Amino acid sequence: MTDKIEILNERLFPVDRETLFEAFADPAQLASWWGPEGFSNRIAAFDLRPGGTWLITMTVDNGTDFHNRWTFEEVVEGQMVRMTHHEPVHIFTLEMRFADEDHGARLSWRMLFDRTEENEQLEKFLHAANEQNFDRLERLLEQGDRH
């Protein structure tokens, strides 16, 4: 047993791996799908390289802003991004892996949290929230023209 809480979501998308990766690597596309249902996003910084910073403000339907700060730890173009989420409140690591398969590209989304009582409460709804994130990404990819 690990001392970490792991949340894993995976989905096969009907696009090639490069298109799937670009939906994350392009801030304009990313802003349109990041987060669960009901959120809109403003990206103030997006420096996709090891040590780079990502600043995103997620706004929920009621107007509440959530300012998020990330650091990119490892980036393998078209294949993998590992980053640390610093704010607000919850510190965790997210690793996204992009892989070609017969009928599209698979995105594997692995979150690792320290095992705390608060994070154990988060675990109960994060898997479902991540699926909403994937739903939003799938809708973007279905639109075809993303620029």
Side-chain angles (χ1 to χ4, degrees), residues 110-122:
R110 181 174 177 243
M111 302 171 84
L112 287 176
F113 292 81
D114 287 336
R115 189 168 294 283
T116 66
E117 186 175 324
E118 183 179 20
N119 288 344
E120 287 174 354
Q121 294 300 314
L122 274 177

Side-chain angles (χ1 to χ4, degrees), residues 23-91:
F24 174 78
D26 174 17
Q29 291 184 62
L30 180 59
S32 72
W33 66 266
W34 189 259
E37 296 293 341
F39 281 88
S40 60
N41 300 296
R42 293 182 317 279
I43 296 176
F46 190 79
D47 186 6
L48 185 59
R49 64 178 175 81
T53 297
W54 175 23
L55 301 175
I56 181 171
T57 300
M58 301 174 66
T59 304
V60 75
D61 284 344
N62 69 8
T64 303
D65 284 340
F66 297 93
H67 303 283
N68 291 260
R69 182 173 60 90
W70 297 80
T71 301
F72 294 110
E73 306 296 339
E74 186 176 356
V75 178
V76 179
E77 182 76 24
Q79 297 179 39
M80 190 270 292
V81 175
R82 186 171 36 84
M83 54 193 167
T84 300
H85 180 266
H86 302 282
E87 297 171 11
V89 184
H90 309 290
I91 298 171

Side-chain angles (χ1 to χ4, degrees), residues 122-139:
L122 274 177
E123 182 181 16
K124 295 175 183 175
F125 74 88
L126 277 177
H127 191 272
N130 291 343
E131 287 299 318
Q132 291 176 26
N133 214 342
F134 282 6
D135 292 344
R136 294 180 71 186
L137 173 56
E138 195 162 54
R139 284 194 299 272

